[in-house]
Structures are given as structure tokens and as C-alpha cells.
């Protein structure tokens, strides 16, 4: 058995096995874990420094999960946009393909909390075949995001099989893998896995670091292996109350990601997912975080801040008000809050009007 498999097997799945060490009453948390599964492997557990720290909050069930009266099970309406089970086709040229129902850790804030790790998420050879069938019939799809659950929890053989089948579809130009494994179980990034991934280039991998304490020697090594294999690495962070809702923490996270060759891609406003209301922050806080990044640190470390629209509208970018007004002069505010103007180029006028414009400029000369 490989190291990562041993670690996974040694995961804590009952809150009592953890809280007993900290003198916390496990009973209410056992009820939470019965509804939303718990799994924390010893590697990730080792990152916890104290009760309720940013690592703990991401991994350990909280009573607040079962007292959420605000959010919805499937706010992004993924199920309504699934033509076949486990495949979400929301955008014109790309699709999200869920190939594994399990994760190396069950994040308490998960967007697919309604189904990952539970019996309601059925992934098997048949669902994968029907997804592959849909993808091969839809020639407009040129980008497939392989996700889950966590696709890197599959065996090398199974992953190789799925990637081989995807690569056999001529109109699929790129494959993206969405995985939290480099963060929560970096030991899984073995040389065997790297050999599989290398065969199916171009592959992009988007991972999911939320806090600077998640960047360790082990996770850095996993990212180095992936980057050395020619896999561009991106990161999506969810803005989470009590985890990273602080411009200083977020800036440190973005800077440290660049040092391990991971390019920040998105910061997500927390989705309105049932059981995660206590993690949500205001949108104003998100805007302040972007304001604290742009101009203040490398542009490479400034991701897009997006709200994935409830109802399935897709990701919508949110920017601080750098653009003050548009017109013949464009009024702009820089990262220090200073005002600048840019002289605009006149827009192409409708067909009958150009003469007037020519006259105006001739008289000016
Ligand atoms: C996020 C997402 C994508 C990918 O969006 P990009 O902006 O291209 O990264 C595709 N499909 C679904 C359903 C998504 O949620
Ligand atoms: S790894 Fe991703 S899919 Fe799995 S629980 Fe965490 S956020 Fe959800």
C-alpha cells in the first residue's frame, strides 16, 4: 500500500475521535457528521494548531451546519444543468465532468455538500460512460473540467482510462483537473500519477488552497512535481469567514502560491450552499480583499473575484470601482485611490454622421 492510501485509511471519520483530545462534547457533532460526512486524514489533521483555527474550521464539523435556514442544497442549479448524471454543461464550449464521489477530506464549506461523500452521489462505469457519450456527441465542447469529489482519489489505472477516453474525442482540446489533493493529501502526487498525467497533455490542474498554513514542504513538493511535468497550476480560493476573510492573510496566501508555481485563478464569494451559511462573508469584504491585492503585490498573484450566480448564471466577476466614469474622458482611480484621466478614442459613428466628424477635426487643424 502506498503512503497516501495508508494516510487515507487512517482518516478520522467520527468527530468523537478528534474532540475527545480537546475536551469537546462530541454528541452534537456526531449528529452533524451523520448528515454531512467527516473525513480528515492525519496529514491535514497535523496542520491544525488549535481548536477553531482556519484549518480546523475547514475540516471539523460545526453545529452551525445543521442550523442553516438561509441557503439552498443546490444553489448553482447544477442538477438542472446536467443533461446526464454528473455532467454539468452550463457554458457554450466547456463542461464539468464529475468522475469521483469521494474526497481526501470533506471540506465543511463544500459547494457539493449536498452529495459528495454520500450515497446520493453515484459515480460508476455507467455514469462515466454516459458522460463520455454526451461529450463525444457535443462537438462544441473543447474544454472538459474533470472534477468530483476529487478525481485524483481514483487509482492511477482508472484515471488513465478516463483521460485516455477523453483524449480519444477529437474536439476536446484541453483537459482541466479540479483537485484539492495537492492541499489535503499531497502524498497522492506520486511519480506513478505524474506518468499517467504526462501522457494526456495538454492538462491543466486547478487546486484549492484557502490558507497560507496549507502550504507546507509536502504540498510544495507535490506542486513542483506537477509543474515539472509541464502541467500549469492554478488555484481557486473560497472566501471563508474565520479562515481567510482578511486582506493580510489573503495577500500572504497569493504570494506564497506564486513561490510554489501556482497561479491564483479565482477567489470565489462563498456559494449559498445549505449547511455553510456560517462561512459566508459580505461581498464588500471580498471587494476590499481585491483592492488590497491589486497594485500592492504582483499582478500574477491577483485572481479574479467572482460570484457564481445562484440559479446557474455562471461566474460573474466583481471589481472595485477603478473605473469612475466613461465618456470622452475616462476617469480612473488607481490602487492608491488617486484619480487619473485617459482621453478616449471617439466611437465609430453611424454611417450618416462621419462627415460631421471629419469637418470638426479639419477646422481644429
Ligand atoms: C466554473 C465552471 C466552469 C469553468 O469556468 P471557467 O471560467 O472557464 O474556469 C465550467 N462549467 C461549470 C459548470 C463551472 O461551474
Ligand atoms: S475537496 Fe472539493 S469537492 Fe471535496 S469536499 Fe472539498 S471542496 Fe468539496
Amino acid at each position: 500500500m502506498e503512503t497516501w492510501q495508508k494516510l487515507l485509511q487512517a482518516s478520522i471519520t467520527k468527530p468523537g475521535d478528534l474532540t475527545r483530545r480537546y475536551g469537546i462534547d462530541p454528541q452534537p457533532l456526531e449528529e452533524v457528521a451523520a448528515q454531512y460526512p467527516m473525513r480528515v486524514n492525519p496529514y491535514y489533521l497535523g496542520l491544525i494548531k488549535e481548536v477553531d483555527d482556519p484549518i480546523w474550521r475547514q475540516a471539523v464539523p460545526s453545529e452551525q451546519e445543521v442550523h442553516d435556514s438561509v441557503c439552498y442544497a443546490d444553489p448553482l442549479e447544477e442538477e438542472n444543468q446536467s443533461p446526464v448524471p454528473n455532467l454539468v454543461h452550463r457554458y457554450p464550449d466547456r463542461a464539468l465532468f464529475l468522475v469521483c464521489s469521494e474526497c481526501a477530506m470533506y471540506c465543511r464549506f463544500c459547494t457539493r455538500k449536498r452529495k459528495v461523500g454520500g450515497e446520493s452521489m453515484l459515480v460508476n462505469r455507467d455514469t462515466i460512460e454516459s458522460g463520455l457519450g454526451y461529450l463525444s456527441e457535443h462537438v462544441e465542447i473543447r474544454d472538459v473540467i474533470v472534477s468530483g469529489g476529487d478525481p485524483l482519489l481514483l487509482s492511477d489505472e482508472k484515471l488513465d482510462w478516463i483521460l485516455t477516453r477523453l483524449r480519444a474525442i477529437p474536439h476536446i482540446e484541453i483537459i482541466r483537473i479540479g483537485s484539492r489533493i495537492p492541499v489535503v493529501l499531497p502524498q497522492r502526487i506520486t511519480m506513478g500519477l505524474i506518468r499517467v498525467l504526462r501522457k494526456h497533455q495538454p492538462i491543466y490542474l486547478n487546486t484549492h488552497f484557502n490558507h497560507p498554513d496549507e502550504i507546507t514542504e509536502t504540498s510544495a513538493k507535490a506542486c513542483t512535481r506537477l509543474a515539472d511535468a509541464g502541467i500549469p497550476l492554478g488555484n481557486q480560493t473560497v472566501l471563508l469567514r474565520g479562515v481567510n476573510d482578511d486582506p493580510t492573510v489573503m495577500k500572504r496566501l497569493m504570494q506564497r502560491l506564486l513561490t510554489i508555481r501556482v497561479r491564483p485563478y479565482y477567489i470565489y464569494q462563498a456559494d449559498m450552499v445549505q449547511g455553510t451559511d456560517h462561512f459566508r462573508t459580505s461581498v464588500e469584504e471580498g471587494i476590499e480583499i481585491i483592492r488590497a491585492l491589486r497594485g500592492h503585490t504582483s499582478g500574477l498573484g491577483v485572481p479574479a473575484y467572482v460570484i457564481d450566480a445562484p440559479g446557474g448564471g455562471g461566474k460573474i466577476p466583481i471589481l472595485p470601482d477603478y473605473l469612475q466614469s466613461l465618456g470622452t474622458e475616462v476617469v480612473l482611480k488607481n490602487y492608491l485611490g488617486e484619480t487619473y484621466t485617459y482621453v478616449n478614442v471617439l466611437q465609430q459613428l453611424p454611417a450618416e454622421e462621419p462627415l460631421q466628424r471629419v469637418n470638426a477635426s479639419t477646422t481644429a487643424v
Side-chain angles (χ1 to χ4, degrees):
M1 207 190 267
E2 296 192 79
T3 310
W4 70 272
Q5 289 164 320
K6 285 184 200 148
L7 282 166
L8 197 62
Q9 213 169 53
S11 294
I12 288 184
T13 56
K14 293 189 179 65
D17 293 344
L18 177 63
T19 53
R20 214 165 290 132
R21 302 181 202 174
Y22 294 91
I24 298 168
D25 174 16
Q27 186 49 42
L29 302 187
E30 301 287 358
E31 282 161 31
V32 177
Q35 190 171 343
Y36 301 117
M38 172 189 194
R39 177 185 273 174
V40 197
N41 68 65
Y43 166 77
Y44 198 78
L45 195 66
L47 304 183
I48 293 176
K49 291 177 184 153
E50 57 188 23
V51 173
D52 262 351
D53 74 6
I55 305 293
W56 174 290
R57 282 168 191 261
Q58 293 185 66
V60 184
S62 152
E63 273 190 81
Q64 289 167 293
E65 293 175 41
V66 292
H67 297 128
D68 175 359
S69 55
V70 176
C71 299
Y72 324 101
D74 181 17
L76 308 182
E77 299 206 5
E78 291 190 329
E79 304 301 341
N80 285 341
Q81 293 177 340
S82 294
V84 298
N86 301 322
L87 187 137
V88 187
H89 191 186
R90 172 175 300 152
Y91 292 108
D93 68 343
R94 52 211 190 280
L96 177 68
F97 188 20
L98 313 180
V99 299
C100 182
S101 64
E102 287 184 53
C103 301
M105 175 180 99
Y106 292 118
C107 311
R108 306 323 298 174
F109 53 83
C110 179
T111 286
R112 296 195 190 102
K113 204 174 170 86
R114 68 181 183 281
K115 62 179 189 177
V116 297
E119 274 148 29
S120 66
M121 187 169 183
L122 180 70
V123 179
N124 57 29
R125 220 174 165 98
D126 288 346
T127 68
I128 292 176
E129 285 290 356
S130 72
L132 290 166
Y134 181 89
L135 292 170
S136 46
E137 280 161 23
H138 287 258
V139 295
E140 71 277 20
I141 297 174
R142 37 161 292 287
D143 173 1
V144 174
I145 299 146
V146 177
S147 182
D150 202 314
L152 296 188
L153 215 51
L154 297 176
S155 67
D156 291 356
E157 295 69 31
K158 201 145 187 199
L159 196 64
D160 195 16
W161 169 71
I162 293 170
L163 295 176
T164 304
R165 293 287 304 274
L166 285 172
R167 269 286 160 249
I169 302 173
H171 52 269
I172 295 179
E173 296 172 0
I174 64 167
I175 297 173
R176 291 195 249 177
I177 292 176
S179 170
R180 225 191 156 197
I181 285 276
V183 186
V184 295
L185 189 60
Q187 296 80 354
R188 169 68 185 105
I189 311 297
T190 60
M191 289 317 290
L193 176 66
I194 295 289
R195 273 191 295 277
V196 169
L197 297 177
R198 284 189 92 113
K199 291 201 308 198
H200 305 286
Q201 293 277 26
I203 286 190
Y204 290 73
L205 191 145
N206 247 348
T207 189
H208 183 167
F209 286 90
N210 286 329
H211 192 275
D213 287 355
E214 293 174 333
I215 301 177
T216 64
E217 241 173 75
T218 320
S219 61
K221 185 171 156 204
C223 292
T224 298
R225 282 187 174 178
L226 290 162
D228 283 352
I231 299 169
L233 301 176
N235 185 70
Q236 40 200 55
T237 295
V238 185
L239 176 53
L240 299 167
R241 174 163 308 288
V243 175
N244 56 21
D245 56 336
D246 175 335
T248 315
V249 171
M250 209 59 115
K251 186 156 95 180
R252 191 150 33 91
L253 173 62
M254 300 303 142
Q255 291 169 337
R256 294 207 61 199
L257 285 170
L258 294 178
T259 69
I260 62 167
R261 290 196 275 169
V262 176
R263 167 81 157 94
Y265 180 53
Y266 283 136
I267 290 180
Y268 285 103
Q269 175 67 17
D271 291 327
M272 296 190 68
V273 176
Q274 181 96 66
T276 69
D277 190 45
H278 58 292
F279 279 116
R280 297 197 309 134
T281 66
S282 68
V283 174
E284 285 84 346
E285 286 166 275
I287 292 172
E288 278 320 305
I289 282 168
I290 294 303
R291 206 194 295 285
L293 291 172
R294 174 61 67 194
H296 297 277
T297 193
S298 318
L300 271 177
V302 186
Y305 170 46
V306 296
I307 299 185
D308 217 336
K315 300 171 183 70
I316 301 175
I318 310 292
L319 267 181
D321 51 356
Y322 297 117
L323 183 60
Q324 302 271 287
S325 68
L326 268 175
T328 49
E329 284 194 335
V330 179
V331 182
L332 303 158
K333 209 152 75 173
N334 79 351
Y335 73 106
L336 297 170
E338 302 160 345
T339 302
Y340 292 86
T341 54
Y342 175 88
V343 178
N344 211 354
V345 174
L346 290 174
Q347 286 201 34
Q348 284 287 298
L349 295 166
E352 56 274 21
E353 284 175 75
L355 258 183
Q356 240 180 323
R357 205 168 110 194
V358 171
N359 289 344
S361 62
T362 357
T363 37
V365 173

